[in-house]
Amino acid sequence: MAAPTITIDVVRHVAKLAALSLSPTEEETMCRELRAILASMAALEALDVSGVPPTFHAVAMHGGLRPDEVRDSFPRAELLAAAPAHEAGGFAVPKVMDGEG
Amino acid sequence: MRDAAGMAVTELAAAIASGELSAVEVTRATLARIAARDGVTHAYLHVDSEGALQAAAQVDRARAQGEKLGVLAGVPIGIKDCMCTRGLPTTCASKILEGYVPPYDAHVVERVRAAGGVIVGKLNMDEFAMGSSNENSAYGTARNPWDSARTPGGSSGGAAAATAEGLAGATLGSDTGGSVRQPASYCGVTAIKPTYGRVSRYGLIAFASSLDQVGPIARNVRDAARMLGVIAGHDPRDATSVTRPVDDYEAECGKDVRGLRVGVVKGATDRGCDPAVVEAFARTQKQLTALGCELVEVELPHQEHALAVYYIIAPAEASSNLARFDGMRYGLRVNGDDLRDTYARTRGAGFGPEVKRRIMLGTYALSAGYYDAFYLKAQKVRTLIKRDFTQAFSRCDVLITPTAPTAAFKFGEKSGDPMSMYMQDIFTLPPSLAGIPAVSVPCGLSPDGLPIGLQICAPELEEKRLVRIGHAFETAIAWNHRPPRFS
């Protein structure tokens, strides 16, 4: 499948997916650079990988999941101290729903 | 008297254990050297003088009371700023984590402390470990101690520079596509990228989870082996952590390498290598033959695709991992009109250009309709790259390439063109994608007097081969070059 040309609209769409605000200058630069980077990857397209399984984990000898046991977590105050804003023992975040908060 | 700040890890540990030196005086010597030189080198983002002196005093007390000391007791260690340190700032050299102080230690930091290591501070790096020159640090670049107009490499540039200049006995860096090996090569020191899973990633701030590994950087192979022995081993807090017992790496130093089959990758230096690197690599092969190694030509036919594969997989994983930096629970927050706008503004203000570029690239590669064409395809080609190594290792015990195509380049030389910067990683990417261990050891100086690195790769969990041959090679060439300002 051929990748589409990267346009400003594509850059804006991807930035929205990534929750990343970009200035108009950054959008221009990103458009140019992504085009160049993706063009350099074109050789991959020609490579036949039918029947080849993907490698999601390079080394298969890991220990897997640990037993699901109840353990102490971090003290709440210590975690909240690192937050930009907190109130009533929780992270304070902008309102996410309409109506009564 | 010798300057304690310039001594090797194993020498320091022995001198402290015997009482020849106290841990406090070693720490003071290191802090004094940092004060005198780091104004130029800028290897450290944060120096913890008070904490280091306290930890050193505790080592001295333990010794006075006759307690058994750990293998790093009293040795000053620097930690790359992407590893969590309890009570010490951890920023990943990013504005988005400015002022962040983690409530816990990374697994590797716990291990260093448990072995008696004295943590001196946090080391400069490319933001979120994305870069090959340190020019992507949000807090000013670290400089190469051999020539301050040149890059120390990246992303663990601060760690390699600090090690080269004696601003720590040894350091811990992290390696996703070459980030301990390439800076070690540029700074004339040794770095090991362990097998994926050999070292726990717990508390290492994630960049690309299927590639990230913590690795030691040291001034000689024996020191690197000791550091690896301290940090390696199973940790139930990392599901990808390997359970196999840890080998005695240091015991490999001094063992015979006669008859060892060394694979030389066919055409390894054909691709954009500086003549000085080509020459050093040719000389290295002669030196290995003189040591009794048997050289075997091997092929890695899919290696040429490693760059494209890496720059799909790593940004894809990064775009997912870095979603957690949204201004809610830690770090920077820039308030917007609503929640989504707050996320976007926070991330727009907090991330630097390279991090944004990789988040964009990764988000694009994972977006609807392109997953199969990019991410899945790249993971399949990764299998071919891994198979190439398996095949090569049926004919050789280790294989060698240069670590990087050039010696340290000047600041600004490659920062305008992402692709030319990415090319610095062509030799270090394939072993990372295959998950196998690799070491970079110095193998000579360029006509400009800059260090050149040799990369040695081994099959999965065969780090001891890297130590054995690395130590034999370093001893044979009597590598003792230090930056001009070292002593």
Side-chain angles (χ1 to χ4, degrees), chain A residues 1 4 16 18-19 21 26 33 40 44-45 47 53 55 58 61-63 78 82-84 92 96, chain B residues 86 103 239 241 327 329-330 333 339-340 344 347 356-357 360 364 369-370 377 379 383 386 419 460:
Chain A
M1 182 175 65
K16 197 176 163 199
S21 75
E26 283 178 313
E33 289 174 346
S40 76
L44 277 189
E45 264 182 62
L47 208 59
T55 295
M61 283 177 280
H62 53 79
E78 227 175 297
V96 289
Chain B
R86 184 176 168 82
S241 168
R329 290 153 298 162
Y330 29 68
R333 178 185 293 182
L339 184 67
R340 274 205 74 85
R347 291 158 63 78
K356 287 180 184 171
R357 187 151 52 230
M360 289 290 288
Y364 176 76
Y370 302 118
K377 177 101 186 221
Q379 293 285 29
T383 303
K386 192 170 164 60
M419 285 315 295
E460 270 173 23

mmCIF file of all heavy atoms in Angstrom, chain A residues 1 4 16 18-19 21 26 33 40 44-45 47 53 55 58 61-63 78 82-84 92 96, chain B residues 86 103 239 241 327 329-330 333 339-340 344 347 356-357 360 364 369-370 377 379 383 386 419 460:
data_model
loop_
_atom_site.group_PDB
_atom_site.id
_atom_site.type_symbol
_atom_site.label_atom_id
_atom_site.label_comp_id
_atom_site.label_asym_id
_atom_site.label_seq_id
_atom_site.Cartn_x
_atom_site.Cartn_y
_atom_site.Cartn_z
ATOM 1 N N MET A 1 0.842 -1.198 0.000
ATOM 2 C CA MET A 1 0.000 0.000 0.000
ATOM 3 C C MET A 1 0.875 1.245 0.000
ATOM 4 O O MET A 1 1.757 1.395 0.847
ATOM 5 C CB MET A 1 -0.867 -0.012 1.255
ATOM 6 C CG MET A 1 -1.815 1.146 1.328
ATOM 7 S SD MET A 1 -2.916 0.991 2.745
ATOM 8 C CE MET A 1 -1.773 1.128 4.076
ATOM 9 N N PRO A 4 0.116 8.021 1.421
ATOM 10 C CA PRO A 4 -0.264 9.256 0.751
ATOM 11 C C PRO A 4 0.808 10.319 0.956
ATOM 12 O O PRO A 4 1.640 10.206 1.842
ATOM 13 C CB PRO A 4 -1.541 9.653 1.480
ATOM 14 C CG PRO A 4 -1.361 9.121 2.859
ATOM 15 C CD PRO A 4 -0.542 7.875 2.715
ATOM 16 N N LYS A 16 -3.607 16.210 15.808
ATOM 17 C CA LYS A 16 -4.814 16.120 16.627
ATOM 18 C C LYS A 16 -4.878 14.757 17.313
ATOM 19 O O LYS A 16 -5.155 14.658 18.511
ATOM 20 C CB LYS A 16 -6.045 16.337 15.739
ATOM 21 C CG LYS A 16 -7.283 16.664 16.534
ATOM 22 C CD LYS A 16 -8.449 16.977 15.619
ATOM 23 C CE LYS A 16 -9.733 16.881 16.423
ATOM 24 N NZ LYS A 16 -10.908 16.729 15.580
ATOM 25 N N ALA A 18 -2.403 12.970 18.090
ATOM 26 C CA ALA A 18 -1.311 12.909 19.061
ATOM 27 C C ALA A 18 -1.502 13.907 20.207
ATOM 28 O O ALA A 18 -0.652 13.979 21.095
ATOM 29 C CB ALA A 18 0.020 13.167 18.364
ATOM 30 N N ALA A 19 -2.574 14.664 20.183
ATOM 31 C CA ALA A 19 -2.823 15.709 21.180
ATOM 32 C C ALA A 19 -1.604 16.615 21.330
ATOM 33 O O ALA A 19 -1.030 16.766 22.403
ATOM 34 C CB ALA A 19 -3.224 15.113 22.532
ATOM 35 N N SER A 21 -0.172 20.420 20.120
ATOM 36 C CA SER A 21 -0.411 21.670 19.399
ATOM 37 C C SER A 21 0.876 22.093 18.702
ATOM 38 O O SER A 21 1.954 22.065 19.289
ATOM 39 C CB SER A 21 -0.921 22.765 20.347
ATOM 40 O OG SER A 21 0.115 23.264 21.129
ATOM 41 N N GLU A 26 5.845 25.198 12.739
ATOM 42 C CA GLU A 26 6.127 23.789 13.049
ATOM 43 C C GLU A 26 5.395 22.861 12.085
ATOM 44 O O GLU A 26 5.930 21.832 11.683
ATOM 45 C CB GLU A 26 5.705 23.463 14.488
ATOM 46 C CG GLU A 26 6.663 23.970 15.550
ATOM 47 C CD GLU A 26 6.178 23.658 16.962
ATOM 48 O OE1 GLU A 26 4.980 23.898 17.264
ATOM 49 O OE2 GLU A 26 6.982 23.166 17.772
ATOM 50 N N GLU A 33 9.750 17.509 6.750
ATOM 51 C CA GLU A 33 10.609 16.471 7.330
ATOM 52 C C GLU A 33 9.960 15.088 7.290
ATOM 53 O O GLU A 33 10.625 14.090 7.018
ATOM 54 C CB GLU A 33 10.993 16.856 8.757
ATOM 55 C CG GLU A 33 11.971 18.015 8.754
ATOM 56 C CD GLU A 33 12.277 18.547 10.136
ATOM 57 O OE1 GLU A 33 11.530 18.197 11.091
ATOM 58 O OE2 GLU A 33 13.233 19.313 10.267
ATOM 59 N N SER A 40 12.464 7.962 2.645
ATOM 60 C CA SER A 40 13.641 7.110 2.873
ATOM 61 C C SER A 40 13.238 5.684 3.238
ATOM 62 O O SER A 40 14.067 4.781 3.246
ATOM 63 C CB SER A 40 14.509 7.707 3.978
ATOM 64 O OG SER A 40 13.921 7.455 5.228
ATOM 65 N N LEU A 44 11.395 -0.399 1.907
ATOM 66 C CA LEU A 44 10.700 -1.451 2.664
ATOM 67 C C LEU A 44 9.517 -2.005 1.886
ATOM 68 O O LEU A 44 9.198 -3.186 1.974
ATOM 69 C CB LEU A 44 10.178 -0.904 3.997
ATOM 70 C CG LEU A 44 11.125 -0.824 5.194
ATOM 71 C CD1 LEU A 44 10.329 -0.476 6.432
ATOM 72 C CD2 LEU A 44 11.877 -2.129 5.396
ATOM 73 N N GLU A 45 8.873 -1.099 1.136
ATOM 74 C CA GLU A 45 7.662 -1.498 0.408
ATOM 75 C C GLU A 45 7.916 -2.670 -0.535
ATOM 76 O O GLU A 45 7.093 -3.566 -0.668
ATOM 77 C CB GLU A 45 7.131 -0.317 -0.404
ATOM 78 C CG GLU A 45 6.045 0.447 0.315
ATOM 79 C CD GLU A 45 5.500 1.573 -0.544
ATOM 80 O OE1 GLU A 45 4.952 1.265 -1.618
ATOM 81 O OE2 GLU A 45 5.652 2.739 -0.137
ATOM 82 N N LEU A 47 10.033 -5.020 -0.278
ATOM 83 C CA LEU A 47 10.511 -6.245 0.355
ATOM 84 C C LEU A 47 9.366 -7.239 0.577
ATOM 85 O O LEU A 47 8.328 -6.880 1.125
ATOM 86 C CB LEU A 47 11.123 -5.850 1.707
ATOM 87 C CG LEU A 47 12.233 -6.710 2.281
ATOM 88 C CD1 LEU A 47 13.417 -6.776 1.335
ATOM 89 C CD2 LEU A 47 12.668 -6.119 3.611
ATOM 90 N N PRO A 53 6.687 -14.058 10.246
ATOM 91 C CA PRO A 53 5.952 -13.565 11.408
ATOM 92 C C PRO A 53 6.600 -12.283 11.952
ATOM 93 O O PRO A 53 7.811 -12.102 11.806
ATOM 94 C CB PRO A 53 6.094 -14.700 12.432
ATOM 95 C CG PRO A 53 7.371 -15.384 12.066
ATOM 96 C CD PRO A 53 7.548 -15.214 10.580
ATOM 97 N N THR A 55 8.177 -9.732 14.761
ATOM 98 C CA THR A 55 8.895 -9.870 16.033
ATOM 99 C C THR A 55 8.466 -8.736 16.954
ATOM 100 O O THR A 55 8.959 -7.620 16.824
ATOM 101 C CB THR A 55 10.425 -9.778 15.804
ATOM 102 O OG1 THR A 55 10.825 -10.900 15.026
ATOM 103 C CG2 THR A 55 11.200 -9.806 17.118
ATOM 104 N N ALA A 58 11.911 -9.257 21.018
ATOM 105 C CA ALA A 58 13.133 -9.792 20.424
ATOM 106 C C ALA A 58 13.659 -10.998 21.194
ATOM 107 O O ALA A 58 14.289 -11.867 20.631
ATOM 108 C CB ALA A 58 14.189 -8.694 20.367
ATOM 109 N N MET A 61 12.730 -15.256 26.324
ATOM 110 C CA MET A 61 12.987 -15.986 27.568
ATOM 111 C C MET A 61 12.577 -15.254 28.839
ATOM 112 O O MET A 61 13.160 -15.446 29.888
ATOM 113 C CB MET A 61 14.480 -16.291 27.659
ATOM 114 C CG MET A 61 14.893 -17.429 26.784
ATOM 115 S SD MET A 61 16.663 -17.653 26.877
ATOM 116 C CE MET A 61 17.253 -16.394 25.801
ATOM 117 N N HIS A 62 11.606 -14.371 28.738
ATOM 118 C CA HIS A 62 11.274 -13.573 29.921
ATOM 119 C C HIS A 62 10.419 -14.342 30.926
ATOM 120 O O HIS A 62 9.868 -15.390 30.631
ATOM 121 C CB HIS A 62 10.625 -12.261 29.526
ATOM 122 C CG HIS A 62 9.454 -12.420 28.617
ATOM 123 N ND1 HIS A 62 8.233 -12.781 29.071
ATOM 124 C CD2 HIS A 62 9.368 -12.273 27.269
ATOM 125 C CE1 HIS A 62 7.410 -12.837 28.046
ATOM 126 N NE2 HIS A 62 8.071 -12.547 26.941
ATOM 127 N N GLY A 63 10.325 -13.792 32.115
ATOM 128 C CA GLY A 63 9.663 -14.483 33.229
ATOM 129 C C GLY A 63 8.152 -14.361 33.243
ATOM 130 O O GLY A 63 7.482 -15.024 34.017
ATOM 131 N N GLU A 78 2.724 11.812 48.561
ATOM 132 C CA GLU A 78 3.957 11.901 47.801
ATOM 133 C C GLU A 78 3.672 11.992 46.303
ATOM 134 O O GLU A 78 4.328 12.726 45.575
ATOM 135 C CB GLU A 78 4.792 10.645 48.084
ATOM 136 C CG GLU A 78 6.235 10.942 48.397
ATOM 137 C CD GLU A 78 6.982 9.688 48.795
ATOM 138 O OE1 GLU A 78 6.639 9.076 49.833
ATOM 139 O OE2 GLU A 78 7.889 9.307 48.042
ATOM 140 N N ALA A 82 3.756 15.725 43.238
ATOM 141 C CA ALA A 82 4.367 15.903 41.921
ATOM 142 C C ALA A 82 3.374 16.447 40.895
ATOM 143 O O ALA A 82 3.750 16.784 39.777
ATOM 144 C CB ALA A 82 4.930 14.570 41.429
ATOM 145 N N ALA A 83 2.091 16.519 41.256
ATOM 146 C CA ALA A 83 1.065 16.927 40.284
ATOM 147 C C ALA A 83 1.022 18.440 40.129
ATOM 148 O O ALA A 83 1.264 19.178 41.076
ATOM 149 C CB ALA A 83 -0.296 16.410 40.747
ATOM 150 N N PRO A 84 0.692 18.916 38.922
ATOM 151 C CA PRO A 84 0.568 20.361 38.713
ATOM 152 C C PRO A 84 -0.551 20.966 39.572
ATOM 153 O O PRO A 84 -0.451 22.119 39.976
ATOM 154 C CB PRO A 84 0.220 20.490 37.229
ATOM 155 C CG PRO A 84 0.497 19.177 36.607
ATOM 156 C CD PRO A 84 0.451 18.152 37.687
ATOM 157 N N ALA A 92 -6.336 17.319 40.311
ATOM 158 C CA ALA A 92 -7.318 18.281 39.813
ATOM 159 C C ALA A 92 -7.119 18.446 38.312
ATOM 160 O O ALA A 92 -6.010 18.754 37.863
ATOM 161 C CB ALA A 92 -7.151 19.616 40.519
ATOM 162 N N VAL A 96 -14.417 17.660 32.482
ATOM 163 C CA VAL A 96 -14.516 16.811 31.285
ATOM 164 C C VAL A 96 -15.951 16.545 30.857
ATOM 165 O O VAL A 96 -16.194 16.006 29.792
ATOM 166 C CB VAL A 96 -13.789 15.454 31.478
ATOM 167 C CG1 VAL A 96 -12.298 15.652 31.485
ATOM 168 C CG2 VAL A 96 -14.250 14.754 32.743
ATOM 169 N N ARG B 86 14.831 8.318 43.634
ATOM 170 C CA ARG B 86 13.994 8.817 44.725
ATOM 171 C C ARG B 86 14.608 10.092 45.331
ATOM 172 O O ARG B 86 15.775 10.106 45.706
ATOM 173 C CB ARG B 86 13.886 7.732 45.803
ATOM 174 C CG ARG B 86 12.971 8.119 46.930
ATOM 175 C CD ARG B 86 12.802 7.002 47.946
ATOM 176 N NE ARG B 86 12.141 7.517 49.133
ATOM 177 C CZ ARG B 86 10.819 7.674 49.235
ATOM 178 N NH1 ARG B 86 10.045 7.297 48.252
ATOM 179 N NH2 ARG B 86 10.284 8.201 50.318
ATOM 180 N N PRO B 103 9.022 9.473 43.302
ATOM 181 C CA PRO B 103 8.913 8.911 44.657
ATOM 182 C C PRO B 103 9.613 7.562 44.788
ATOM 183 O O PRO B 103 9.495 6.924 45.828
ATOM 184 C CB PRO B 103 7.396 8.764 44.825
ATOM 185 C CG PRO B 103 6.877 8.556 43.452
ATOM 186 C CD PRO B 103 7.812 9.280 42.507
ATOM 187 N N ALA B 239 7.875 -7.323 33.206
ATOM 188 C CA ALA B 239 7.412 -8.603 32.656
ATOM 189 C C ALA B 239 8.334 -9.131 31.556
ATOM 190 O O ALA B 239 8.281 -10.306 31.213
ATOM 191 C CB ALA B 239 5.989 -8.463 32.119
ATOM 192 N N SER B 241 11.590 -9.047 31.848
ATOM 193 C CA SER B 241 12.869 -9.338 32.498
ATOM 194 C C SER B 241 13.175 -10.837 32.404
ATOM 195 O O SER B 241 12.330 -11.683 32.679
ATOM 196 C CB SER B 241 12.748 -8.879 33.957
ATOM 197 O OG SER B 241 13.792 -9.350 34.732
ATOM 198 N N GLY B 327 0.203 16.492 31.355
ATOM 199 C CA GLY B 327 0.019 17.628 32.257
ATOM 200 C C GLY B 327 -0.960 17.379 33.387
ATOM 201 O O GLY B 327 -1.404 18.325 34.042
ATOM 202 N N ARG B 329 -0.758 14.463 35.935
ATOM 203 C CA ARG B 329 -0.267 13.853 37.166
ATOM 204 C C ARG B 329 1.124 14.293 37.588
ATOM 205 O O ARG B 329 1.510 14.142 38.733
ATOM 206 C CB ARG B 329 -0.308 12.326 37.033
ATOM 207 C CG ARG B 329 -1.715 11.783 37.022
ATOM 208 C CD ARG B 329 -1.771 10.479 36.273
ATOM 209 N NE ARG B 329 -1.383 10.668 34.888
ATOM 210 C CZ ARG B 329 -1.008 9.692 34.079
ATOM 211 N NH1 ARG B 329 -0.957 8.462 34.513
ATOM 212 N NH2 ARG B 329 -0.680 9.941 32.829
ATOM 213 N N TYR B 330 1.905 14.774 36.635
ATOM 214 C CA TYR B 330 3.255 15.253 36.972
ATOM 215 C C TYR B 330 3.732 16.204 35.888
ATOM 216 O O TYR B 330 3.187 16.227 34.789
ATOM 217 C CB TYR B 330 4.267 14.095 37.105
ATOM 218 C CG TYR B 330 3.954 12.874 36.258
ATOM 219 C CD1 TYR B 330 4.030 12.943 34.876
ATOM 220 C CD2 TYR B 330 3.545 11.680 36.851
ATOM 221 C CE1 TYR B 330 3.729 11.836 34.102
ATOM 222 C CE2 TYR B 330 3.245 10.570 36.076
ATOM 223 C CZ TYR B 330 3.334 10.657 34.706
ATOM 224 O OH TYR B 330 3.039 9.567 33.938
ATOM 225 N N ARG B 333 2.026 21.778 33.186
ATOM 226 C CA ARG B 333 0.657 21.876 32.661
ATOM 227 C C ARG B 333 0.460 23.278 32.098
ATOM 228 O O ARG B 333 0.768 24.270 32.765
ATOM 229 C CB ARG B 333 -0.384 21.632 33.758
ATOM 230 C CG ARG B 333 -1.826 21.783 33.215
ATOM 231 C CD ARG B 333 -2.890 21.665 34.284
ATOM 232 N NE ARG B 333 -2.969 20.318 34.842
ATOM 233 C CZ ARG B 333 -3.869 19.969 35.777
ATOM 234 N NH1 ARG B 333 -4.744 20.864 36.225
ATOM 235 N NH2 ARG B 333 -3.879 18.756 36.259
ATOM 236 N N LEU B 339 -10.207 20.123 28.372
ATOM 237 C CA LEU B 339 -9.220 19.081 28.687
ATOM 238 C C LEU B 339 -8.301 18.777 27.497
ATOM 239 O O LEU B 339 -7.083 18.773 27.631
ATOM 240 C CB LEU B 339 -9.941 17.806 29.151
ATOM 241 C CG LEU B 339 -9.013 16.682 29.604
ATOM 242 C CD1 LEU B 339 -8.275 17.042 30.882
ATOM 243 C CD2 LEU B 339 -9.795 15.379 29.812
ATOM 244 N N ARG B 340 -8.903 18.549 26.327
ATOM 245 C CA ARG B 340 -8.092 18.200 25.141
ATOM 246 C C ARG B 340 -7.138 19.325 24.765
ATOM 247 O O ARG B 340 -5.996 19.097 24.392
ATOM 248 C CB ARG B 340 -8.999 17.872 23.946
ATOM 249 C CG ARG B 340 -9.440 16.424 23.924
ATOM 250 C CD ARG B 340 -9.789 15.967 22.507
ATOM 251 N NE ARG B 340 -8.605 15.775 21.680
ATOM 252 C CZ ARG B 340 -7.886 14.648 21.651
ATOM 253 N NH1 ARG B 340 -8.226 13.628 22.391
ATOM 254 N NH2 ARG B 340 -6.820 14.563 20.876
ATOM 255 N N ALA B 344 -3.030 19.276 24.569
ATOM 256 C CA ALA B 344 -2.301 19.675 23.358
ATOM 257 C C ALA B 344 -1.339 20.824 23.634
ATOM 258 O O ALA B 344 -0.206 20.825 23.173
ATOM 259 C CB ALA B 344 -3.289 20.042 22.256
ATOM 260 N N ARG B 347 1.643 19.603 25.836
ATOM 261 C CA ARG B 347 2.597 18.811 25.061
ATOM 262 C C ARG B 347 3.319 19.674 24.012
ATOM 263 O O ARG B 347 4.514 19.500 23.760
ATOM 264 C CB ARG B 347 1.872 17.633 24.415
ATOM 265 C CG ARG B 347 1.420 16.614 25.478
ATOM 266 C CD ARG B 347 0.280 15.719 25.016
ATOM 267 N NE ARG B 347 0.637 14.881 23.872
ATOM 268 C CZ ARG B 347 1.367 13.775 23.943
ATOM 269 N NH1 ARG B 347 1.839 13.379 25.100
ATOM 270 N NH2 ARG B 347 1.621 13.064 22.871
ATOM 271 N N LYS B 356 8.733 15.907 19.204
ATOM 272 C CA LYS B 356 7.491 16.136 18.450
ATOM 273 C C LYS B 356 7.528 15.393 17.118
ATOM 274 O O LYS B 356 6.546 14.767 16.705
ATOM 275 C CB LYS B 356 7.301 17.634 18.183
ATOM 276 C CG LYS B 356 6.900 18.416 19.414
ATOM 277 C CD LYS B 356 6.737 19.880 19.063
ATOM 278 C CE LYS B 356 6.435 20.694 20.316
ATOM 279 N NZ LYS B 356 6.467 22.131 20.065
ATOM 280 N N ARG B 357 8.693 15.473 16.453
ATOM 281 C CA ARG B 357 8.834 14.802 15.152
ATOM 282 C C ARG B 357 8.584 13.298 15.296
ATOM 283 O O ARG B 357 7.880 12.688 14.511
ATOM 284 C CB ARG B 357 10.251 15.060 14.629
ATOM 285 C CG ARG B 357 10.515 14.594 13.244
ATOM 286 C CD ARG B 357 11.582 15.455 12.561
ATOM 287 N NE ARG B 357 12.799 15.588 13.346
ATOM 288 C CZ ARG B 357 13.394 16.756 13.622
ATOM 289 N NH1 ARG B 357 12.907 17.876 13.172
ATOM 290 N NH2 ARG B 357 14.485 16.791 14.357
ATOM 291 N N MET B 360 4.930 12.477 16.043
ATOM 292 C CA MET B 360 4.141 12.620 14.814
ATOM 293 C C MET B 360 4.353 11.426 13.882
ATOM 294 O O MET B 360 3.398 10.849 13.358
ATOM 295 C CB MET B 360 4.526 13.921 14.091
ATOM 296 C CG MET B 360 4.058 15.173 14.796
ATOM 297 S SD MET B 360 2.266 15.409 14.730
ATOM 298 C CE MET B 360 2.049 15.844 13.007
ATOM 299 N N TYR B 364 1.480 8.704 13.059
ATOM 300 C CA TYR B 364 1.128 8.469 11.656
ATOM 301 C C TYR B 364 1.249 6.979 11.316
ATOM 302 O O TYR B 364 0.344 6.382 10.730
ATOM 303 C CB TYR B 364 2.041 9.303 10.760
ATOM 304 C CG TYR B 364 1.825 9.072 9.280
ATOM 305 C CD1 TYR B 364 0.727 9.632 8.633
ATOM 306 C CD2 TYR B 364 2.714 8.295 8.547
ATOM 307 C CE1 TYR B 364 0.529 9.417 7.283
ATOM 308 C CE2 TYR B 364 2.516 8.071 7.199
ATOM 309 C CZ TYR B 364 1.413 8.632 6.565
ATOM 310 O OH TYR B 364 1.215 8.409 5.232
ATOM 311 N N GLY B 369 -5.432 2.518 8.927
ATOM 312 C CA GLY B 369 -5.132 2.308 7.516
ATOM 313 C C GLY B 369 -3.647 2.146 7.236
ATOM 314 O O GLY B 369 -3.262 1.615 6.203
ATOM 315 N N TYR B 370 -2.777 2.592 8.146
ATOM 316 C CA TYR B 370 -1.345 2.509 7.873
ATOM 317 C C TYR B 370 -0.600 1.528 8.772
ATOM 318 O O TYR B 370 0.584 1.301 8.617
ATOM 319 C CB TYR B 370 -0.686 3.896 7.978
ATOM 320 C CG TYR B 370 -1.343 4.851 7.032
ATOM 321 C CD1 TYR B 370 -1.987 5.980 7.494
ATOM 322 C CD2 TYR B 370 -1.351 4.577 5.661
ATOM 323 C CE1 TYR B 370 -2.631 6.835 6.613
ATOM 324 C CE2 TYR B 370 -1.994 5.429 4.781
ATOM 325 C CZ TYR B 370 -2.630 6.552 5.264
ATOM 326 O OH TYR B 370 -3.263 7.379 4.388
ATOM 327 N N LYS B 377 4.651 -4.263 9.001
ATOM 328 C CA LYS B 377 5.682 -4.584 8.012
ATOM 329 C C LYS B 377 7.068 -4.472 8.649
ATOM 330 O O LYS B 377 7.936 -5.343 8.483
ATOM 331 C CB LYS B 377 5.570 -3.613 6.827
ATOM 332 C CG LYS B 377 6.637 -3.801 5.775
ATOM 333 C CD LYS B 377 6.100 -4.579 4.599
ATOM 334 C CE LYS B 377 7.164 -4.921 3.587
ATOM 335 N NZ LYS B 377 6.730 -4.784 2.211
ATOM 336 N N GLN B 379 7.867 -4.799 11.761
ATOM 337 C CA GLN B 379 8.100 -5.888 12.713
ATOM 338 C C GLN B 379 8.423 -7.200 11.993
ATOM 339 O O GLN B 379 9.112 -8.061 12.533
ATOM 340 C CB GLN B 379 6.872 -6.073 13.622
ATOM 341 C CG GLN B 379 6.607 -4.892 14.567
ATOM 342 C CD GLN B 379 7.570 -4.813 15.743
ATOM 343 O OE1 GLN B 379 8.722 -5.235 15.661
ATOM 344 N NE2 GLN B 379 7.104 -4.262 16.860
ATOM 345 N N THR B 383 12.106 -9.411 11.972
ATOM 346 C CA THR B 383 12.327 -10.866 12.044
ATOM 347 C C THR B 383 13.447 -11.278 11.094
ATOM 348 O O THR B 383 14.308 -12.088 11.460
ATOM 349 C CB THR B 383 11.023 -11.617 11.677
ATOM 350 O OG1 THR B 383 9.989 -11.178 12.564
ATOM 351 C CG2 THR B 383 11.186 -13.127 11.779
ATOM 352 N N LYS B 386 16.734 -10.273 12.527
ATOM 353 C CA LYS B 386 17.091 -11.178 13.628
ATOM 354 C C LYS B 386 17.591 -12.527 13.081
ATOM 355 O O LYS B 386 18.576 -13.080 13.576
ATOM 356 C CB LYS B 386 15.866 -11.370 14.541
ATOM 357 C CG LYS B 386 16.183 -12.055 15.853
ATOM 358 C CD LYS B 386 14.985 -11.990 16.802
ATOM 359 C CE LYS B 386 15.121 -12.987 17.944
ATOM 360 N NZ LYS B 386 16.322 -12.760 18.766
ATOM 361 N N MET B 419 17.730 13.009 8.713
ATOM 362 C CA MET B 419 18.203 11.749 8.125
ATOM 363 C C MET B 419 19.713 11.562 8.293
ATOM 364 O O MET B 419 20.183 10.464 8.575
ATOM 365 C CB MET B 419 17.836 11.658 6.641
ATOM 366 C CG MET B 419 16.363 11.358 6.370
ATOM 367 S SD MET B 419 15.632 10.051 7.386
ATOM 368 C CE MET B 419 16.557 8.635 6.842
ATOM 369 N N GLU B 460 22.239 -13.830 22.002
ATOM 370 C CA GLU B 460 21.455 -13.572 23.216
ATOM 371 C C GLU B 460 22.119 -14.098 24.481
ATOM 372 O O GLU B 460 22.534 -15.270 24.524
ATOM 373 C CB GLU B 460 20.123 -14.328 23.110
ATOM 374 C CG GLU B 460 19.038 -13.541 22.469
ATOM 375 C CD GLU B 460 17.782 -14.375 22.228
ATOM 376 O OE1 GLU B 460 17.552 -15.406 22.910
ATOM 377 O OE2 GLU B 460 17.040 -13.987 21.349
#
